[in-house]
Amino acid sequence: MTTNGGISPQDAKYALETRDMHVYYGSFRAVKHINLNVERQKITALIGPSGCGKSTVLRSFNRMNELVPSARVEGKVFFHGKNLYDSNVDPVEVRRRIGMVFQKPNPFPKSIYDNIAFGPRINGWQGTKADMDNLVEQSLRASVLWDEVKDKLKESGLSLSGGQQQRLCIARALAIEPEVILMDEPCSALDPISTLKIEELMFELRRQYTIVIVTHNMQQASRASDNTAFFLMDNDRAGTLVEYGPTEQLFTNPQDKRTEDYISGRFG
Amino acid sequence: MAEQARVSAESQTAAASSTAVSLDFRKRTRIGESVIQGFLFFCGAVSILTTLGIVFVLGEESLLFFLDERVSIVEFLTATSWQPAIEDFGIIPLINATFITSIIAMVVAIPLGLGAAIYLSEYASARIRGILKPVLEILAGIPTVVYGYFAISFMTPVLRGMFGKDTVQIYNSASAGIVIGILILPLIASLSEDALSSVPRALRQASYGLGATRLETAVRVVVPSALSGIIAAFIIGISRAIGETMIVAIAAGAGPKNFDLSQDNLFGYVLNPFVAAETMTGHIARISGGDLSYNSIDYNSIFAIGLMLFIITLLLNILSRYIVRRFREVYE
Ligand SMILES: Nc1ncnc2c1ncn2[C@@H]1O[C@H](COP(=O)(O)OP(=O)(O)OP(=O)(O)O)[C@@H](O)[C@H]1O
Ligand SMILES: [Mg+2]
């Protein structure tokens, strides 16, 4: 696989495809010429030094960049053959289909139960109380948190430990049944055991979901992802996609000298 | 072996002596620190002492009032006529008027104030917010006497035009209440906006990330998270409305709306906001404006009313603390 394979946007192999995407903050171009195809039901890792635009690229996948008033996206991002940046696309609907987990766990100051129920409720939940109970349990089981919290669903989400909070946030994202889950350094605030749990969880989730994860942790990228994209800042400080391919190949046999330097720890 | 021992002994003494030189844990007196601490204590003490002084004066003068044989506490709290001239001291008409104007004020100020706060913190661009917030704060600085004349010369004619001159008296609680609402609106909006904008951005992002709209995010995430601050803003607003004097003195009426439940219609007269009525503060202002002789029963009655105002505001504060503790969503 190369950086731009020339595959038609409708190709079902890919969940997300960017075409010559640029993102600006005001007049500053943060990333440029991004052509990246995210494989369906795989884990794609975005790596690179700080400030090279990984979070920016990730946020462009579900139009979260729009929350920054100065941000602007050029180019196209295809999802089911539809350009997410077409003028008639509703960002609210996009975010319902493409969920997000943030770097710092950010549960709502509500009960564990209400944290999970929030997404379905705002998205027009019609079912009964029993259905909701069931959905909450399924989501918590899927994020491997159920056994730890099943007796205290009415307690605040903030009463949990950092790692538990992050799994709660993952459960909350799962409850709206998205197709894609974007994770921005989800383990950077966690201890190694919690990190391992989240990685195992990602492998489990891969059967149903497409996952894109930003990470600073080379080991994590190499052991927990199928494909890896390496970004680097260009001379004009805009981030570019340097190399993209199967994780194994990128780490053992990088095609680009800069990738090799980075993964062997020579800069960044 | 021997040499080793000697070396280590030497280094030990060296270490010991260097410790004695460089480490000095003796307590030092920092004069600046103590002066500042003393000054800050003084600042805190002044406000507490002032409050205590007010409570003391209120209590002392009220005691003189209640000890007078022409007054009984039961009558004070239950009678529905306040006419010092004929020694009728029932505070209910004054409290009634205060409640009517304050409730009308809150009905105006809470929805508009909270709406304005949500608009400013969740919808307005940085530029618009930069213009509107100072404007709000200027509004809060207009002297209340101006609002009083606004009530009598603008709001009252408007109400009389809408509901008819027969229904709406020239002096009435409604006009005063609405204008008090306008007066405290900027206060409530500004304080609520502070509470809303201190909600962490991460919570908003989480909400948007789950496909929430702006409105859903504002109503279901941001407002509940800021609830304790918002309720505090409401309580400050209510206290301000209850204590407001100039507007009611000018626009609400210049005599207590005394009533007799066996004769007067509850909704047609007693609770009717279009009828002239004097509030606790309005009464205090009017009576103390005249030639009131020191230590007369009229003079002492003012302090009894003041004490009542104080107790009502205190109860409101206690209630609000309870509500806040009960319902707030802590995000720290
Ligand atoms: N809200 C913003 N406003 C202005 N510039 C921004 C904003 N967010 C990011 N940038 C800029 O865009 C560039 C890319 O930032 P981004 O956060 O995407 O980097 P990153 O690769 O995620 O870095 P890190 O690994 O440190 O998280 C940086 O130069 C940054 O200064
Ligand atoms: Mg980042």
Side-chain angles (χ1 to χ4, degrees):
Chain A
M1 199 190 308
T2 54
T3 50
N4 43 357
I7 299 127
S8 82
Q10 288 77 19
D11 200 318
K13 190 177 174 197
Y14 300 113
L16 286 161
E17 298 162 65
T18 73
R19 288 286 172 276
D20 201 34
M21 184 182 75
H22 305 250
V23 183
Y24 297 81
Y25 294 106
S27 59
F28 170 64
R29 179 157 69 170
V31 297
K32 62 179 183 184
H33 299 296
I34 305 294
N35 291 291
L36 181 66
N37 296 337
V38 175
E39 273 193 276
R40 189 177 298 283
Q41 294 179 6
K42 291 274 166 65
I43 300 174
T44 302
L46 312 184
I47 62 169
S50 186
C52 67
K54 306 175 295 292
S55 300
T56 301
V57 168
L58 193 76
R59 286 196 299 263
S60 69
F61 288 152
N62 68 344
R63 296 189 54 170
M64 285 294 275
N65 276 329
E66 267 147 73
L67 300 184
V68 180
S70 66
R72 187 161 52 84
V73 176
E74 270 177 18
K76 293 181 171 146
V77 179
F78 288 102
F79 177 66
H80 286 280
K82 176 97 190 132
N83 178 13
L84 295 181
Y85 287 87
D86 269 352
S87 57
N88 61 356
V89 171
D90 183 1
V92 167
E93 193 55 33
V94 171
R95 294 177 199 139
R96 220 201 71 70
R97 308 278 295 274
I98 305 176
M100 190 153 203
V101 176
F102 299 83
Q103 174 168 2
K104 247 184 81 191
N106 54 358
F108 297 125
K110 302 177 188 293
S111 70
I112 292 169
Y113 186 99
D114 286 338
N115 260 282
I116 312 274
F118 179 87
R121 281 182 187 147
I122 58 166
N123 287 299
W125 172 259
Q126 296 291 329
T128 62
K129 170 87 173 64
D131 291 341
M132 183 62 92
D133 291 350
N134 193 31
L135 177 64
V136 168
E137 176 171 346
Q138 290 315 313
S139 307
L140 286 168
R141 279 191 193 284
S143 73
V144 206
L145 189 59
W146 175 250
D147 290 332
E148 288 156 73
V149 301
K150 61 172 181 261
D151 300 320
K152 48 177 188 174
L153 295 176
K154 288 273 161 282
E155 275 176 41
S156 168
L158 290 156
S159 66
L160 301 174
S161 76
Q164 289 173 328
Q165 285 186 14
Q166 195 62 302
R167 278 178 283 148
L168 176 64
C169 292
I170 293 173
R172 181 176 67 182
L174 296 178
I176 57 171
E177 290 163 356
E179 284 169 50
V180 182
I181 302 173
L182 310 174
M183 300 182 169
D184 195 345
E185 300 183 45
C187 304
S188 68
L190 306 183
D191 67 291
I193 292 174
S194 304
T195 301
L196 213 62
K197 278 194 179 155
I198 302 241
E199 282 174 17
E200 285 166 1
L201 173 57
M202 279 165 34
F203 263 93
E204 203 53 43
L205 294 176
R206 185 175 57 161
R207 291 194 225 160
Q208 275 189 59
Y209 303 92
T210 304
I211 297 176
V212 186
I213 177 174
V214 171
T215 177
H216 268 289
N217 181 330
M218 287 304 119
Q219 281 88 34
Q220 183 169 56
S222 64
R223 72 178 166 239
S225 73
D226 302 297
N227 294 316
T228 299
F230 171 58
F231 292 83
L232 203 56
M233 236 190 274
D234 216 349
N235 293 331
D236 60 355
R237 290 185 52 232
T240 53
L241 178 58
V242 171
E243 185 166 350
Y244 177 43
T247 299
E248 171 124 15
Q249 179 198 318
L250 193 125
F251 277 91
T252 54
N253 185 20
Q255 306 297 299
D256 196 294
K257 177 79 171 60
R258 293 168 292 175
T259 314
E260 192 181 339
D261 287 346
Y262 184 74
I263 58 177
S264 58
R266 240 164 287 170
F267 70 100
Chain B
M1 200 56 176
E3 189 169 69
Q4 238 176 29
R6 190 174 54 83
V7 168
S8 76
E10 235 171 44
S11 65
Q12 255 171 26
T13 44
S17 63
S18 80
T19 306
V21 171
S22 67
L23 285 180
D24 182 357
F25 287 130
R26 269 177 308 170
K27 208 170 186 170
R28 254 161 288 186
T29 43
R30 296 182 175 82
I31 296 193
E33 191 84 357
S34 339
V35 169
I36 295 284
Q37 201 179 344
F39 175 71
L40 294 177
F41 175 79
F42 173 75
C43 295
V46 164
S47 61
I48 291 174
L49 287 178
T50 316
T51 314
L52 286 180
I54 291 172
V55 172
F56 178 75
V57 171
L58 278 179
E60 192 192 26
E61 300 284 345
S62 308
L63 203 62
L64 287 176
F65 175 74
F66 289 121
L67 289 180
D68 195 297
E69 73 274 4
R70 287 164 291 182
V71 178
S72 92
I73 282 210
V74 177
E75 185 205 331
F76 179 76
L77 292 175
T78 57
T80 57
S81 168
W82 182 277
Q83 285 170 284
I86 59 166
E87 289 162 13
D88 266 359
F89 293 106
I91 198 172
I92 285 183
L94 301 179
I95 294 184
N96 182 36
T98 294
F99 276 6
I100 291 173
T101 49
S102 304
I103 287 169
I104 292 172
M106 295 322 283
V107 167
V108 171
I110 286 184
L112 292 180
L114 186 56
I118 292 176
Y119 172 75
L120 280 177
S121 104
E122 305 303 306
Y123 287 85
S125 67
R127 226 185 92 237
I128 293 180
R129 186 167 39 238
I131 298 169
L132 284 184
K133 253 218 131 177
V135 169
L136 271 183
E137 270 141 30
I138 290 171
L139 270 181
I142 295 177
T144 55
V145 63
V146 175
Y147 282 101
Y149 282 99
F150 174 70
I152 193 85
S153 61
F154 177 79
M155 195 50 75
T156 302
V158 166
L159 288 177
R160 298 188 91 193
M162 278 167 70
F163 298 103
K165 286 191 163 54
D166 301 330
T167 322
V168 185
Q169 298 182 358
I170 291 192
Y171 294 106
N172 65 76
S173 314
S175 168
I178 292 171
V179 174
I180 297 176
I182 297 172
L183 167 78
I184 59 178
L185 197 159
L187 180 75
I188 290 185
S190 185
L191 291 174
S192 306
E193 202 265 339
D194 290 343
L196 292 174
S197 41
S198 63
V199 171
R201 260 168 46 106
L203 291 184
R204 293 188 180 83
Q205 289 185 337
S207 173
Y208 287 122
L210 291 164
T213 61
R214 257 173 203 246
L215 186 65
E216 285 160 348
T217 303
V219 172
R220 295 182 180 228
V221 175
V222 183
V223 170
S225 304
L227 201 63
S228 55
I230 292 172
I231 289 181
F234 290 172
I235 296 298
I236 291 173
I238 293 175
S239 306
R240 186 86 172 70
I242 289 175
E244 172 48 38
T245 308
M246 213 57 195
I247 296 172
V248 290
I250 293 171
K257 181 166 69 176
N258 299 323
F259 57 89
D260 180 349
L261 274 185
S262 62
Q263 284 163 25
D264 293 314
N265 187 310
L266 188 64
F267 294 105
Y269 181 72
V270 179
L271 298 178
N272 186 346
F274 295 133
V275 176
E278 195 167 52
T279 65
M280 294 191 272
T281 52
H283 181 76
I284 294 177
R286 183 169 60 86
I287 294 295
S288 50
D291 45 357
L292 206 53
S293 60
Y294 182 70
N295 258 351
S296 68
I297 188 158
D298 291 24
Y299 176 83
N300 290 338
S301 76
I302 291 179
F303 288 90
I305 299 171
L307 184 67
M308 202 66 203
L309 266 175
F310 183 83
I311 290 172
I312 290 174
T313 335
L314 191 71
L315 287 180
L316 268 177
N317 269 298
I318 293 170
L319 179 73
S320 69
R321 267 163 203 275
Y322 170 76
I323 292 175
V324 165
R325 208 169 317 136
R326 185 82 207 286
F327 293 106
R328 82 162 151 194
E329 296 183 339
V330 189
Y331 49 75
E332 258 95 26

